[in-house]
Amino acid sequence: MGRRPCCEKIGLKRGPWTIEEDHKLMSFILNNGIHCWRLVPKLAGLLRCGKSCRLRWINYLRPDLKRGALSEAEEDQIIQLHSRFGNRWSKIAAHFPGRTDNEIKNHWNTRIKKKLKELGLDPVTHKPIEQHENRGAKDEGIMQSKFSENSFELKLMDNPSSN
DNA sequence: AAAAATGTCAACCGCCAAAAT
DNA sequence: AATTTTGGCGGTTGACATTTT
């Protein structure tokens, strides 16, 4: 068997957070600030592991979170950044104050990826997909030619430095 | 109307670097 | 200096929602 879970303490809760839990975590952090996540559940009266508390705070409770759908402009910028950084979501998210890496990753995986494919672009390389005689996509022979106008391309694995 | 397919998204897992001891 | 613990990250899962057949 593999590595043991971060919270082996049996009885620890997992899965979706309830509003009561959110309340406890929220008020605890607002009152005490962020110091040591491991201590949070105990001090806040939660049956969760510290890691779970951290995640909940970062992705959902932080007051500085910007909520709501990503705008088209944001989406475009994500594509630009992705073409340079690849799947370095936290790096990409750093350009969007108030948005989380998880949210951006989700958006990429569920919407943008498909959108690019529909435009005939490879979501990994951001380059036009070779089309040996149609295969999977829904023909309409129109697709790829016109999208060569994409300005982003190349430089996919560019930055080896800094994380 | 029902079922199947597809989409969405919160939250988990394990890895590993950084921090702590 | 070496070992252990914590926190950050990206990939992935699975529950629920929506759309399609």
Side-chain angles (χ1 to χ4, degrees):
Chain A
M1 31 201 44
R3 164 212 196 87
R4 62 193 226 264
C6 67
C7 12
E8 186 73 57
K9 295 302 229 187
I10 54 175
L12 283 202
K13 193 168 184 305
R14 306 176 61 231
W17 280 64
T18 64
I19 52 261
E20 292 82 22
E21 290 179 306
D22 280 347
H23 256 122
K24 289 182 180 177
L25 179 55
M26 185 79 179
S27 60
F28 177 81
I29 297 295
L30 290 180
N31 290 331
N32 302 282
I34 294 168
H35 302 293
C36 176
W37 285 110
R38 183 174 57 90
L39 301 177
V40 168
K42 218 185 280 268
L43 299 178
L46 290 162
L47 295 168
R48 295 271 180 177
C49 65
K51 208 171 174 176
S52 179
C53 293
R54 174 187 164 273
L55 196 67
R56 186 61 180 169
W57 174 262
I58 298 286
N59 287 340
Y60 193 79
L61 295 177
R62 282 156 56 198
D64 60 311
L65 267 188
K66 184 192 281 188
R67 292 162 193 276
L70 291 150
S71 69
E72 193 132 346
E74 286 176 309
E75 192 169 287
D76 290 344
Q77 200 187 349
I78 289 170
I79 294 171
Q80 300 284 347
L81 291 166
H82 185 277
S83 75
R84 306 220 306 275
F85 301 136
N87 296 0
R88 293 200 242 321
W89 308 115
S90 69
K91 194 161 197 171
I92 292 172
H95 289 76
F96 302 89
R99 318 225 74 137
T100 70
D101 48 354
N102 203 226
E103 159 178 48
I104 288 173
K105 175 175 61 181
N106 277 338
H107 192 72
W108 177 271
N109 285 330
T110 59
R111 315 254 338 92
I112 299 182
K113 220 150 77 169
K114 180 167 36 154
K115 181 172 161 188
L116 290 181
K117 281 179 187 157
E118 282 165 2
L119 295 180
L121 295 173
D122 183 320
V124 176
T125 64
H126 292 251
K127 298 172 130 175
I129 290 170
E130 294 316 327
Q131 204 114 51
H132 332 69
E133 266 50 14
N134 70 351
R135 39 0 357 190
K138 15 273 286 38
D139 24 53
E140 327 307 322
I142 339 171
M143 54 168 113
Q144 77 276 47
S145 50
K146 50 243 23 325
F147 298 108
S148 43
E149 53 130 325
N150 81 61
S151 49
F152 30 87
E153 67 208 317
L154 54 131
K155 160 165 256 265
L156 42 167
M157 292 312 265
D158 69 317
N159 160 24
S161 63
S162 68
N163 84 317

